[in-house]
Amino acid sequence: MRQGDLDFSGKKALVTGGTRGIGKEIASALAERGARVAVCGRKQENLDKALEDFSRAGVEVAGFPANVGDAASVEGLFREVDGALGGLDILVNNVGMNILTPQVAEADEGLWDKVIQTNLKGTFLASKEAVKRMKQGGGGKIVNITSIAARKASLGMGIYCVAKAGVEMLTKVLAVELAGAGIRVNAVAPCMVRTRFSQPFWDNPELSAEITKTIPVGRIAEPQDVVGAVLFLASNLADFITGQVVAVDGGSLA
């Protein structure tokens, strides 16, 4: 490893859904390594708390409210990011949501739309705006946070599985389309991660034990476990890597 490969000094990064969980850890790691970082969150109270936490930890992060599933909101977010950072080199599409459903065939259409809009459409909209800036700047890195659920159907998570599978293909399509512009697009697919998002699963002792049995390393992931793969893909170590999905799953898919 060359010295400075994980030094993000001078880089400008946006982490969507960076107010808690995986996104918050990614934002902190980028800022600690010299990047100028912005995060967005849908709820102002979560955003305010996250900014306080960043400040207490001694890292400088800008924050803006946004609904990534809404085009006008995303356009407004990127105008704010332009003002705060003056450009964009790295986008981490981290926003995700799931609403437990018994079976996809019985799901309400509105529920389908909400899950697809946040996970898949949100990744599309944010990437679209980021690409405009990255082309002007001569290149950049997009890292999408997907899930092993994109490749492994899970009860109660059917729509989420479909949405994340879409994110994986969007990653590959954008990688091929944008390679000539110097933009690298990759994804990280964690297994179950101990966040508020997945709390209904790991907070249930019986269910948590069953999930852990499927993970060869013997535990579910922590948010920090995902950070290293994201930093790698966002760094110059990954300049010749694009269109790939890195599983951070403790061996689950193996």
Side-chain angles (χ1 to χ4, degrees), residues 42 66-74 95 113-114 116-123 125-126:
R42 188 164 184 170
N67 173 8
V68 298
D70 177 79
S73 183
V74 172
V95 167
D113 289 344
K114 187 172 184 178
I116 296 294
Q117 181 179 32
T118 300
N119 291 284
L120 180 53
K121 185 179 179 180
T123 299
L125 291 174

Coordinates of all heavy atoms in Angstrom, one line a residue, residues 42 66-74 95 113-114 116-123 125-126:
R42 N -33.4 12.4 6.5 CA -34.7 12.9 6.2 C -35.4 13.6 7.4 O -36.1 14.6 7.2 CB -35.6 11.6 5.9 CG -37.0 12.0 5.4 CD -37.7 10.8 4.8 NE -38.9 11.1 4.2 CZ -39.6 10.3 3.4 NH1 -39.2 9.1 3.1 NH2 -40.8 10.7 2.9
A66 N -33.0 16.0 3.6 CA -33.4 15.7 2.3 C -34.1 14.3 2.2 O -33.9 13.5 3.0 CB -32.2 15.6 1.3
N67 N -35.0 14.2 1.3 CA -35.7 13.0 1.0 C -35.2 12.5 -0.3 O -35.5 13.0 -1.4 CB -37.2 13.2 0.9 CG -38.0 12.0 0.4 OD1 -37.4 10.9 0.3 ND2 -39.2 12.1 0.1
V68 N -34.3 11.5 -0.3 CA -33.6 11.1 -1.5 C -34.5 10.4 -2.6 O -34.1 10.3 -3.7 CB -32.4 10.1 -1.2 CG1 -31.4 10.7 -0.4 CG2 -33.0 8.8 -0.6
G69 N -35.7 10.1 -2.2 CA -36.7 9.5 -3.1 C -37.4 10.6 -3.9 O -38.3 10.2 -4.8
D70 N -37.2 11.8 -3.6 CA -37.9 12.9 -4.3 C -36.9 13.8 -5.1 O -35.9 14.3 -4.5 CB -38.6 13.8 -3.2 CG -39.3 15.0 -3.8 OD1 -40.4 14.8 -4.4 OD2 -38.7 16.1 -3.8
A71 N -37.1 13.9 -6.4 CA -36.2 14.6 -7.3 C -35.9 16.0 -6.9 O -34.8 16.5 -6.8 CB -36.7 14.5 -8.7
A72 N -37.0 16.8 -6.5 CA -36.8 18.2 -6.2 C -36.0 18.3 -4.9 O -35.1 19.2 -4.8 CB -38.2 18.9 -6.0
S73 N -36.2 17.4 -3.9 CA -35.4 17.4 -2.7 C -34.0 17.1 -2.9 O -33.1 17.7 -2.4 CB -36.0 16.4 -1.7 OG -35.4 16.5 -0.5
V74 N -33.7 16.1 -3.8 CA -32.3 15.8 -4.1 C -31.6 16.9 -4.9 O -30.4 17.2 -4.6 CB -32.3 14.5 -5.0 CG1 -30.9 14.2 -5.5 CG2 -32.8 13.3 -4.1
V95 N -28.5 5.5 2.0 CA -29.9 5.5 2.5 C -30.6 4.2 2.1 O -30.5 3.7 1.0 CB -30.7 6.7 1.8 CG1 -32.2 6.5 2.0 CG2 -30.3 8.0 2.4
D113 N -44.2 0.9 -3.5 CA -43.6 2.1 -4.0 C -42.7 2.8 -3.1 O -41.6 3.3 -3.4 CB -44.8 3.1 -4.4 CG -45.6 2.7 -5.6 OD1 -45.1 1.8 -6.4 OD2 -46.7 3.2 -5.8
K114 N -43.0 2.8 -1.8 CA -42.2 3.5 -0.8 C -40.8 2.8 -0.6 O -39.8 3.5 -0.6 CB -42.9 3.4 0.6 CG -42.3 4.3 1.7 CD -43.1 4.4 2.9 CE -42.5 5.3 3.9 NZ -43.3 5.5 5.1
I116 N -39.3 0.8 -2.8 CA -38.5 0.9 -4.1 C -38.0 2.4 -4.3 O -36.9 2.6 -4.7 CB -39.4 0.5 -5.3 CG1 -39.8 -1.0 -5.2 CG2 -38.7 0.9 -6.6 CD1 -38.6 -1.9 -5.4
Q117 N -38.9 3.3 -3.9 CA -38.5 4.7 -4.1 C -37.3 5.1 -3.2 O -36.4 5.8 -3.7 CB -39.7 5.6 -3.7 CG -39.5 7.1 -3.8 CD -40.7 8.0 -3.5 OE1 -41.4 7.6 -2.6 NE2 -40.8 9.1 -4.1
T118 N -37.3 4.7 -2.0 CA -36.2 5.1 -1.1 C -34.9 4.4 -1.5 O -33.9 5.0 -1.6 CB -36.6 4.7 0.4 OG1 -37.7 5.5 0.7 CG2 -35.4 5.1 1.3
N119 N -35.0 3.1 -1.7 CA -33.8 2.3 -1.9 C -33.2 2.4 -3.3 O -32.0 2.6 -3.5 CB -34.0 0.8 -1.6 CG -34.2 0.6 -0.1 OD1 -33.3 0.5 0.7 ND2 -35.5 0.4 0.2
L120 N -34.1 2.2 -4.3 CA -33.6 2.2 -5.7 C -33.7 3.6 -6.4 O -32.7 4.0 -6.9 CB -34.4 1.2 -6.5 CG -34.0 1.0 -8.0 CD1 -32.6 0.7 -8.2 CD2 -34.9 -0.2 -8.6
K121 N -34.8 4.2 -6.3 CA -35.0 5.5 -7.0 C -34.1 6.5 -6.3 O -33.5 7.4 -7.0 CB -36.4 6.0 -7.0 CG -36.7 7.3 -7.7 CD -38.1 7.7 -7.7 CE -38.3 9.0 -8.4 NZ -39.8 9.4 -8.4
G122 N -33.9 6.4 -5.0 CA -33.1 7.4 -4.3 C -31.6 7.2 -4.7 O -30.9 8.2 -4.9
T123 N -31.2 6.0 -4.9 CA -29.8 5.8 -5.4 C -29.6 6.4 -6.8 O -28.6 7.0 -7.1 CB -29.5 4.3 -5.4 OG1 -29.6 3.8 -4.0 CG2 -28.1 4.0 -5.9
L125 N -31.5 8.9 -8.2 CA -31.5 10.3 -8.2 C -30.3 11.0 -7.7 O -29.8 11.9 -8.3 CB -32.7 10.8 -7.4 CG -34.1 10.5 -7.9 CD1 -35.2 10.9 -6.9 CD2 -34.3 11.2 -9.3
A126 N -29.7 10.4 -6.6 CA -28.5 11.0 -6.0 C -27.3 10.8 -7.0 O -26.5 11.7 -7.2 CB -28.2 10.4 -4.7

